[in-house]
Amino acid sequence: MKNTASKLKRLAFPAAAVLLFAGLTFFAGDAAQAAREGLELSLRTAVPALFPFFVAGALLTGSGLVDSIGRVLTRPMHALYGLGGSGAVALVLGLSGGYPVGAQAVCDLYRGGAASKDEAERLVGFCNNSGPAFIIGVAGVAVCGSARTGVCLYIIHALAAFITGIAMTTPPGKDPPPPRKAPPMRRAPKNPAAVFLSAVQDSFGTCLTVTAFITFFSVLLALLRRTGVLLLLGAAGAPALSLLGFPAGTADAAAAGVLELTNGLAQLPALALPRHLLLPLCAFLLGFGGLSVHCQTLSILQQAGLSPRRHFAGKTLHGAVSAALAVIWCCLAPQTVPVFAPGGVGAAAPAASLAGYGLLALVVFAVLTRSAGRHAAFRYPARTAQKKRPR
């Protein structure tokens, strides 16, 4: 059995390459059109939004300003995640710049000496997130028909990132937080011009990598649709979605979103999903990010010598927590979506569907509560022991 499995693994990659080549040959017109659309999407949306944040993150690290920020935020970052204060820079950049700005910021911290390898790999599990411009403009306005709903989705996304970080990082040590002094990192270069030039050049190279993956996944999605493979992937996930009350056509859009986030979100308005289904699905896709984002992040992490294992686990948990928070929001604030939202968005949630989502929320928060309890149990006994020590 082991020999058979190893042979299948060796044959899987060549077989996938042959199938891709065959698809590009038989559906060359569709592939070329998808490549043009992917390049247009990158140049009009991704690159203008990401490039300034890539440069800003590199300048923050190269200028030595991370040193001061790390000293100020050492205690809260240590109390929440057991990490140094400089990690807050990556978290803020990730929540403001969008995918994959957070991953690039973590790599800049690691290269600059502001974070160890273990700290950087833990940071990337919850610091690489979608930005407010994308969530409000695409998920809020284009999909849900409301900028206010986009703001709520962004708040959910950010809160889920904080919770995911608590769940994935190890508890702080029994010792009190470290004193406010600069973490060990390299000194700022003496020549600011060299820092600026390097930041711009490296950031442009990263944008080219992002553009390449967006274009490739646009072509891949076109081939999967043309050959019917995307329908098969959707059919595989349809039973689970139907248990939560989703109509049959939702599985295709969800499968597309798992592969490439923007394409999946673009298919949701045509489904006219009710609000209690649309918002959790949007929240999950935004939290997970899609395999295209994972590949972009993998490329960035490999260049820095960091493992992507915690990133994939973190984004999967981030998507689940986001969906659970969106379910709770739908139950607590049923009138937050305006009446001009896409058809059916303001509909009331059936009791059975809410029960299924409620079960999802309970399971997710049970795991997180256990993690939070582990953090507390790790901290508080140390304080008690200190009180009992003889003076």
Side-chain angles (χ1 to χ4, degrees), residues 94 98-104 106-107 118-130 157 164 168 286-302 306-319:
Y99 297 120
V101 172
Q104 182 64 50
V106 171
C107 292
D118 180 68
E119 288 176 333
E121 291 177 351
R122 283 193 280 164
L123 281 169
V124 81
F126 65 98
C127 288
N128 193 36
N129 304 297
S130 185
H157 187 79
T164 300
M168 290 198 63
L286 290 169
F288 180 71
L291 294 182
S292 176
V293 168
H294 287 277
C295 288
Q296 297 167 26
T297 305
L298 174 62
S299 175
I300 294 173
L301 295 179
Q302 280 188 339
L306 299 175
S307 171
R309 178 174 53 87
R310 284 173 175 166
H311 177 265
F312 184 82
K315 298 318 297 175
T316 303
L317 180 59
H318 190 180

Side-chain angles (χ1 to χ4, degrees), residues 27-40 215 218-219 222:
F27 306 107
D30 298 290
Q33 178 62 28
R36 285 191 291 269
E37 293 174 354
L39 286 172
E40 183 178 0
T215 304
S218 296
V219 174

Side-chain angles (χ1 to χ4, degrees), residues 110-171:
Y110 173 59
R111 292 191 185 100
S116 66
K117 184 175 183 179
D118 180 68
E119 288 176 333
E121 291 177 351
R122 283 193 280 164
L123 281 169
V124 81
F126 65 98
C127 288
N128 193 36
N129 304 297
S130 185
F134 181 84
I135 293 179
I136 297 173
V138 177
V141 176
V143 178
C144 300
S146 168
R148 183 175 61 181
T149 303
V151 172
C152 293
L153 284 173
Y154 176 71
I155 294 173
I156 287 174
H157 187 79
L159 182 58
F162 293 129
I163 296 175
T164 300
I166 295 175
M168 290 198 63
T169 53
T170 56

Side-chain angles (χ1 to χ4, degrees), residues 4-359:
T4 303
S6 61
K7 289 180 180 179
L8 291 177
K9 289 181 180 179
R10 288 197 301 268
L11 293 175
F13 184 75
V18 170
L19 291 176
L20 176 61
F21 183 81
L24 293 173
T25 302
F26 288 105
F27 306 107
D30 298 290
Q33 178 62 28
R36 285 191 291 269
E37 293 174 354
L39 286 172
E40 183 178 0
L41 176 65
S42 301
L43 295 178
R44 285 190 176 184
T45 305
V47 173
L50 297 178
F51 180 71
F53 285 95
F54 283 143
V55 175
L59 290 177
L60 281 175
T61 304
S63 65
L65 186 59
V66 174
D67 188 342
S68 301
I69 297 175
R71 287 198 300 269
V72 173
L73 299 177
T74 290
R75 289 185 179 274
M77 286 296 292
H78 184 275
L80 285 174
Y81 308 117
L83 298 172
S86 58
V89 176
L91 183 58
V92 171
L93 286 173
L95 286 172
S96 58
Y99 297 120
V101 172
Q104 182 64 50
V106 171
C107 292
D108 289 339
L109 292 176
Y110 173 59
R111 292 191 185 100
S116 66
K117 184 175 183 179
D118 180 68
E119 288 176 333
E121 291 177 351
R122 283 193 280 164
L123 281 169
V124 81
F126 65 98
C127 288
N128 193 36
N129 304 297
S130 185
F134 181 84
I135 293 179
I136 297 173
V138 177
V141 176
V143 178
C144 300
S146 168
R148 183 175 61 181
T149 303
V151 172
C152 293
L153 284 173
Y154 176 71
I155 294 173
I156 287 174
H157 187 79
L159 182 58
F162 293 129
I163 296 175
T164 300
I166 295 175
M168 290 198 63
T169 53
T170 56
K174 294 183 178 181
D175 297 330
R180 288 189 175 186
K181 63 179 181 179
M185 63 178 70
R186 69 179 184 186
R187 294 181 179 179
K190 296 181 180 180
N191 188 357
V195 177
F196 172 73
L197 293 176
S198 177
V200 173
Q201 292 172 352
D202 294 344
S203 299
F204 186 75
T206 304
C207 283
L208 288 178
T209 300
V210 172
T211 300
F213 280 108
I214 291 177
T215 304
F216 173 78
F217 272 87
S218 296
V219 174
L220 181 62
L221 271 175
L223 294 178
L224 293 177
R225 288 194 185 100
R226 193 70 173 81
T227 57
V229 176
L230 189 62
L231 293 176
L232 295 177
L233 294 176
L241 291 175
S242 63
L243 290 176
L244 298 174
F246 285 94
T250 310
D252 300 336
V258 168
L259 289 173
E260 208 285 316
L261 176 61
T262 306
N263 282 276
L265 291 177
Q267 297 182 33
L268 295 182
L271 299 176
L273 295 173
R275 174 177 173 272
H276 68 281
L277 298 178
L278 177 63
L279 300 185
L281 181 57
C282 283
F284 173 79
L285 293 177
L286 290 169
F288 180 71
L291 294 182
S292 176
V293 168
H294 287 277
C295 288
Q296 297 167 26
T297 305
L298 174 62
S299 175
I300 294 173
L301 295 179
Q302 280 188 339
Q303 294 176 10
L306 299 175
S307 171
R309 178 174 53 87
R310 284 173 175 166
H311 177 265
F312 184 82
K315 298 318 297 175
T316 303
L317 180 59
H318 190 180
V321 174
S322 298
L325 291 176
V327 170
I328 295 175
W329 174 42
C330 289
C331 295
L332 298 180
Q335 302 298 328
T336 54
V337 178
V339 294
F340 58 84
V345 174
S353 181
L354 278 182
Y357 274 114
L359 179 60

